[in-house]
Amino acid sequence: GGTGGDDDDDGDSARSFGERVELLVVRMYAVIRDNQRIVESRNDAELTADLYYQVSQNYVEMPVLRITWLEHMANYHVNKSHFYEAAQCKLYVANVVLGYLHTHTRRRKRLQGVPPLNTAFRDAAPNVALEPPSPAAVASNEGMYDDPVFSVEGLERTLLTAVRYLRRCEMFEAAVEVHELLVGLYRAKKDYGKLHSAYAALASHCGDLVSLQARGRFFPVYYRVAFYGKRLAALHAKEFIYRAEHTVGVSQMTERLVDHFATKYGRANVRQLKNTTVVDAGALDERYVYVQCASVTPHWEHRSAHHPPYFTPHFRLQVPFTKKKAATGDDDGGGGGGGGGGLAAQYIRRITYTLERSFPWINTRLLVVARDVVELTPIENAIEVIKTQSAGVKQEIDAEPVNKLGLQRILQGSVQPQVHGGTLEVCATFLDAAVVDAYPADAVALLRKSLLKFFALCHDAIVLHGRVLDDAAAAAAHVVEERLRRATCR
């Protein structure tokens, strides 16, 4: 009987060895295949990043390889100066390492100061909460974590690199959050040298943020991009939101996309669609590739003055049109005032896009997974405009420290606009005694309420502005105050 048992053991060992060899061959083939796919997509930056991420997801069961591909993606973004995305890649790596540290109980004694797994990156990289967890090590896969990165020291190095990238893209709030995690590590180890350096770095992040806010801060811009054409295969009729630097305008963004497809299909076979056109994909000529690009803005239901404009899966596009042309699908205007007839004729098609993740993400584009379309009447549009202006004024009032430049800019833009008549025109168009009865009573009441709130906020802003005013801005402030007085009297 003993001999038979030994034969069984030998058979199990042989099968185990054979299975490991077969698995190794499969993995090697997969690595070669994935590298080839990435090489073939080298002229498409967004597709290349998508492939890096997809490959990393294929190795969820092999954390070392998963991290390898995330590191490749981080380096790819750094080479393109995409530091928003590079920082997120590093935080994804840190999350994998953190998962390992928390799931290996034999190392619990070394976990003092290690941040909690579920909330560590909530304010710096909230998308990581949607990632699948790494597997627990078992005897047959004990080598899956044999890499120096899977340690407290590896976590520290990864977080420090993430902080460096966050500073490069001026995400100082996130840099503070990540450095706070490092403070916890150093305090637990009583490493006062590193703790001193960490507190100095935190002071630097905060100081640079205050300085940046004082001189005027620029955030990324976003574009809704749609692709049409049967030649595009899987891309046909897909919508994405793209992130770009604040210096990139819609024409520049569109030109980059058109040039990309022109290289592959020929310039004569690529068409640009107006950003306000309602597209019927079935009616397009199948011989061509179509690109449509329009500027969108991040959207939150609620956001405090201290919350930077990051991490939302919702973006909005406002398309002005007049009813006389709405039926054609080719609306008037592109965002500068619409199709004529003044405010009384200005309808808005408001499209809210929902994404699969939030920006910043580990790529510069995200797929649109849902859209909501609402058409606003002229008076509803006016109410929304006033509410938006009120939110902008309140944000400047609540800012600490006071941003004099931002405060002056928002006042001049809201109370003394350079285009149209602003609140005076709104009052004359919808609240004048000769026309007010033409609009729904509830909408009129809401417009009045919104205007009164707006005027009260503007008054508070002017008072605040007066406290921090320098002589050079006194004349401009007087004009703004006079404008507000006239609008309030109206």
Side-chain angles (χ1 to χ4, degrees):
T3 303
D6 292 341
D7 290 341
D8 289 342
D9 290 342
D10 291 342
D12 290 342
S13 297
R15 281 195 300 273
S16 177
F17 177 75
E19 289 171 355
R20 288 200 298 271
V21 170
E22 184 178 352
L23 180 60
L24 179 61
V25 171
V26 170
R27 289 178 181 175
M28 289 178 64
Y29 171 76
V31 169
I32 294 170
R33 179 202 62 205
D34 295 335
N35 271 297
Q36 182 61 32
R37 291 172 65 196
I38 288 172
V39 168
E40 291 172 355
S41 69
R42 62 185 178 276
N43 294 323
D44 188 331
E46 287 77 25
L47 177 57
T48 299
D50 279 341
L51 288 173
Y52 272 124
Y53 178 64
Q54 290 170 19
V55 172
S56 76
Q57 293 293 80
N58 291 338
Y59 295 118
V60 168
E61 298 298 321
M62 292 166 275
V64 171
L65 287 177
R66 186 182 183 190
I67 282 182
T68 297
W69 284 98
L70 288 170
E71 293 284 8
H72 286 333
M73 190 178 354
N75 293 334
Y76 177 77
H77 284 307
V78 169
N79 290 335
K80 290 188 170 294
S81 296
H82 295 164
F83 291 104
Y84 287 98
E85 291 72 29
Q88 295 299 304
C89 289
K90 281 295 183 179
L91 293 175
Y92 268 56
V93 171
N95 189 61
V96 176
V97 175
L98 194 58
Y100 163 79
L101 294 175
H102 276 281
T103 55
H104 290 72
T105 54
R106 66 176 181 268
R107 302 198 177 212
R108 288 285 182 186
K109 292 181 180 179
R110 298 175 57 188
L111 284 184
Q112 291 183 350
V114 172
L117 180 59
N118 296 328
T119 59
F121 304 111
R122 180 179 53 200
D123 296 319
N127 287 313
V128 300
L130 302 175
E131 290 297 293
S134 297
V138 294
S140 60
N141 287 317
E142 59 185 7
M144 68 166 61
Y145 292 107
D146 286 348
D147 190 285
V149 73
F150 292 107
S151 63
V152 174
E153 293 73 24
L155 176 64
E156 176 189 349
R157 289 192 300 271
T158 303
L159 292 178
L160 284 170
T161 305
V163 168
R164 190 165 72 248
Y165 294 157
L166 289 168
R167 286 186 58 82
R168 289 293 297 273
C169 62
E170 298 182 338
M171 284 187 69
F172 294 113
E173 296 93 341
V176 168
E177 298 295 333
V178 176
H179 233 124
E180 287 281 6
L181 302 179
L182 289 162
V183 165
L185 290 178
Y186 302 150
R187 183 179 289 134
K189 293 194 298 182
K190 299 190 182 331
D191 190 331
Y192 296 109
K194 288 185 176 180
L195 195 58
H196 176 270
S197 297
Y199 279 124
L202 281 168
S204 178
H205 303 331
C206 295
D208 289 342
L209 177 58
V210 170
S211 175
L212 183 64
Q213 290 174 331
R215 68 175 184 266
R217 191 176 186 185
F218 296 100
F219 294 101
V221 292
Y222 300 92
Y223 296 100
R224 172 265 185 184
V225 176
F227 303 109
Y228 302 96
K230 295 298 177 63
R231 300 173 71 175
L232 295 175
L235 268 184
H236 171 59
K238 287 287 196 305
E239 295 178 297
F240 297 88
I241 301 297
Y242 279 65
R243 183 199 70 79
E245 298 301 320
H246 70 274
T247 54
V248 177
V250 65
S251 59
Q252 185 179 348
M253 187 70 184
T254 304
E255 184 179 352
R256 178 173 81 81
L257 295 166
V258 169
D259 286 346
H260 166 70
F261 287 113
T263 302
K264 187 173 183 179
Y265 300 106
R267 173 70 68 170
N269 296 316
V270 182
R271 296 284 188 270
Q272 177 184 341
L273 296 171
K274 286 179 60 179
N275 60 7
T276 55
T277 299
V278 178
V279 178
D280 178 1
L284 298 174
D285 193 326
E286 293 186 2
R287 295 174 297 172
Y288 301 111
V289 169
Y290 298 88
V291 176
Q292 186 180 47
C293 183
S295 177
V296 293
T297 56
H299 173 69
W300 295 263
E301 290 299 329
H302 304 286
R303 181 169 71 92
S304 71
H306 305 289
H307 190 288
Y310 298 119
F311 304 125
T312 177
H314 305 295
F315 289 79
R316 275 188 175 173
L317 171 63
Q318 305 267 75
V319 182
F321 68 96
T322 56
K323 280 294 186 181
K324 62 181 180 180
K325 290 192 177 183
T328 69
D330 192 11
D331 305 321
D332 291 316
L343 291 177
Q346 188 67 79
Y347 289 79
I348 289 289
R349 180 177 297 113
R350 187 176 69 195
I351 308 172
T352 303
Y353 300 98
T354 299
L355 310 182
E356 54 186 343
R357 294 285 194 278
S358 300
F359 277 112
W361 162 239
I362 57 176
N363 196 0
T364 53
R365 77 175 179 189
L366 275 166
L367 181 68
V368 173
V369 295
R371 52 148 62 194
D372 178 64
V373 182
V374 176
E375 289 192 357
L376 302 179
T377 65
I379 192 168
E380 289 172 337
N381 176 34
I383 292 168
E384 289 297 312
V385 169
I386 298 301
K387 285 184 175 180
T388 300
Q389 291 181 336
S390 293
V393 175
K394 188 175 190 309
Q395 186 168 330
E396 291 299 334
I397 292 173
D398 293 342
E400 294 181 6
V402 177
N403 182 352
K404 291 191 288 185
L405 200 61
L407 190 60
Q408 186 170 335
R409 187 164 49 233
I410 196 74
L411 280 172
Q412 290 178 334
S414 298
V415 183
Q416 188 192 12
Q418 304 302 312
V419 181
H420 307 309
T423 50
L424 287 177
E425 185 178 353
V426 170
C427 294
T429 302
F430 301 107
L431 301 181
D432 190 275
V435 298
V436 68
D437 292 337
Y439 299 101
D442 57 342
V444 170
L446 183 55
L447 178 58
R448 283 199 174 108
K449 181 179 178 181
S450 300
L451 281 166
L452 289 173
K453 180 179 179 180
F454 172 69
F455 293 148
L457 285 168
C458 286
H459 177 267
D460 292 344
I462 289 172
V463 171
L464 177 61
H465 191 235
R467 295 177 191 160
V468 296
L469 200 62
D470 52 37
D471 293 338
H478 178 74
V479 173
V480 171
E481 190 167 2
E482 176 59 23
R483 187 86 178 192
L484 176 63
R485 188 192 62 78
R486 288 171 54 202
T488 307
C489 292
R490 193 69 177 256

